[in-house]
Amino acid sequence: MEENNKKKDGLDLDLLNKMAKLPGGLVIIPLLIAVALATFCPQVFQIGGYVTALFYEGNAAMMGFFLIICGSAINIKQVGMPLYKGVSLTAMKFILGVAFGYAVSAICGPAGFLGLAPFVIIAALTNSNGSLYISLSSQFGNASDTGAISILSLNDGPFFTLVALGATGLATIPFKSFVAVLVPLLIGFVWGNIDKHFREVCKHAQPIVTFFMTISIGSKTDVSTLIKAGLSGIVLGLLSAATAVIFFFVFNILLPKKERNAMGAAVGTTALNSAQTPAAVGEADPSMAGYVDVATAQCATASVITLFLCPFIVAAFDKYMRKHKKGIYSEEGWACESVGAVSEASSEKQMVG
């Protein structure tokens, strides 16, 4: 009977569901596809028209759309949690990055160690990949985790690095960037709270948007970046990825037990835009101008390494929490409730059938 139904429905490989079931699959698989194409066949993304607009230049637009989707899932009664999570994640990144950078400066001087100047370490560790964080939150977190990006986005660009280095005279709070992230979230938040059908439609659209948004993230990255920066860039990337372990434990200490998840590790990244920070630092402090070229390549390399490692680290922590029924997977956690609801619905279907 089932075979006849399958024949009637036609070919169905169920690829989206298969990817969703893999740890980090909706992020890792499109990321690998995009980076492979960017490395061996970059002209694919430069065809022009809709192809270039969607797969190469579409990251900002896709992220904006994704923020609307995630905003729609935020319950008006729970708006405090996204704010709390955003402040916590941003503070963790800033404090650890500055502490580590100044420790290296105090011990090794301005030249740093292994070719990594203190300001490069601060630039890489205080910055996080917001696009990747949002993608991961769709699989390992909930709307409150995604909503945290409205605060977490403040670590984009050179602001925190310049503050940490004492160059505040040239730095201004990126208020426009903050508003640019907040607006789509608010649109989704308001619409989702006055229109339940809109919220439901957005929920089903989320995996598709995640897939294509991740392709546009990886389309600008190729493996040649690793060669340019050499060993020092790789060390910086591994150091940034290693902070994911610290962030995972610290973040969960700060959260209520039922909200604890793997998303703290999702900020153990360095964004590609951190490669623009050394130039801003060199302009603010001419004595560091000699480090700018190498530092730019180092930050870019770190972004590539964390782009690949972070999804696996987050997935590993999520698997650990799921196995041991901790945090969101505990009896009072929202993930446990969701799984229970799905199981009950499945059982009812079988009984009816």
Side-chain angles (χ1 to χ4, degrees):
M1 192 73 176
E2 288 182 9
E3 289 182 7
N4 290 333
N5 288 334
K6 285 183 180 178
K7 287 179 181 179
K8 288 179 181 179
D9 294 337
L11 182 65
D12 182 8
L13 298 179
D14 199 27
L15 296 176
L16 193 64
N17 281 329
K18 287 177 181 176
M19 283 189 287
K21 289 177 183 177
L22 291 173
L26 284 174
V27 176
I28 294 170
I29 292 174
L31 189 63
L32 289 173
I33 293 171
V35 173
L37 288 172
T39 301
F40 302 108
C41 193
Q43 62 271 23
V44 167
F45 295 116
Q46 302 300 331
I47 293 175
Y50 301 129
V51 172
T52 302
L54 175 61
F55 295 113
Y56 190 78
E57 299 171 349
N59 182 39
M62 295 295 282
M63 186 189 291
F65 184 38
F66 192 82
L67 288 172
I68 290 176
I69 289 175
C70 293
S72 70
I74 300 174
N75 192 305
I76 195 169
K77 298 176 182 178
Q78 301 171 336
V79 72
M81 188 52 69
L83 182 64
Y84 176 73
K85 286 182 176 180
V87 171
S88 299
L89 290 170
T90 304
M92 286 193 310
K93 286 287 287 182
F94 181 72
I95 293 171
L96 181 66
V98 173
F100 200 92
Y102 277 126
V104 169
S105 179
I107 297 170
C108 306
F113 77 105
L114 295 177
L116 293 172
F119 88 91
V120 179
I121 294 172
I122 293 173
L125 298 190
T126 58
N127 174 283
S128 60
N129 190 324
S131 299
L132 185 60
Y133 173 86
I134 291 176
S135 293
L136 291 169
S137 72
S138 71
Q139 192 163 1
F140 301 108
N142 61 11
S144 67
D145 292 294
T146 304
I149 194 65
S150 60
I151 302 297
L152 189 60
S153 63
L154 291 173
N155 69 26
D156 286 349
F159 174 66
F160 284 131
T161 303
L162 292 174
V163 169
L165 294 171
T168 52
L170 293 176
T172 55
I173 297 175
F175 184 70
K176 287 183 179 179
S177 297
F178 174 76
V179 172
V181 173
L182 196 59
V183 167
L185 267 175
L186 285 174
I187 291 173
F189 172 69
V190 173
W191 198 342
N193 277 280
I194 62 175
D195 186 346
K196 291 182 180 179
H197 180 64
F198 176 76
R199 179 182 293 176
E200 191 63 27
V201 170
C202 285
K203 182 180 179 181
H204 291 296
Q206 183 172 306
I208 300 170
V209 177
T210 298
F211 182 88
F212 288 105
M213 180 175 68
T214 306
I215 287 182
S216 66
I217 294 171
S219 65
K220 300 178 183 66
T221 305
D222 63 70
V223 295
S224 66
T225 308
L226 297 172
I227 301 171
K228 292 179 182 177
L231 179 62
S232 60
I234 295 173
V235 170
L236 183 62
L238 293 176
L239 178 63
S240 180
T243 62
V245 178
I246 299 173
F247 294 140
F248 168 76
F249 288 107
V250 174
F251 189 50
N252 279 331
I253 290 173
L254 298 174
L255 291 177
K257 287 185 178 180
K258 65 178 183 179
E259 283 286 341
R260 293 175 181 175
N261 56 27
M263 285 306 296
V267 295
T269 59
T270 296
L272 187 58
N273 61 30
S274 67
Q276 300 168 358
T277 299
V281 173
E283 185 179 341
D285 185 354
S287 66
M288 295 185 179
Y291 297 101
V292 171
D293 291 341
V294 174
T296 300
Q298 289 170 337
C299 287
T301 300
S303 74
V304 174
I305 291 174
T306 57
L307 194 64
F308 278 108
L309 292 182
C310 186
F312 290 102
I313 295 172
V314 175
F317 278 126
D318 181 79
K319 185 178 180 181
Y320 166 79
M321 297 188 76
R322 186 189 296 266
K323 182 179 179 181
H324 295 279
K325 296 182 179 179
K326 293 179 176 289
I328 60 173
Y329 298 109
S330 63
E331 290 183 2
E332 65 269 26
W334 60 262
C336 184
E337 292 173 5
S338 299
V339 172
V342 171
S343 299
E344 286 178 18
S346 179
S347 299
E348 288 177 10
K349 267 188 175 180
Q350 289 177 358
M351 289 177 69
V352 171

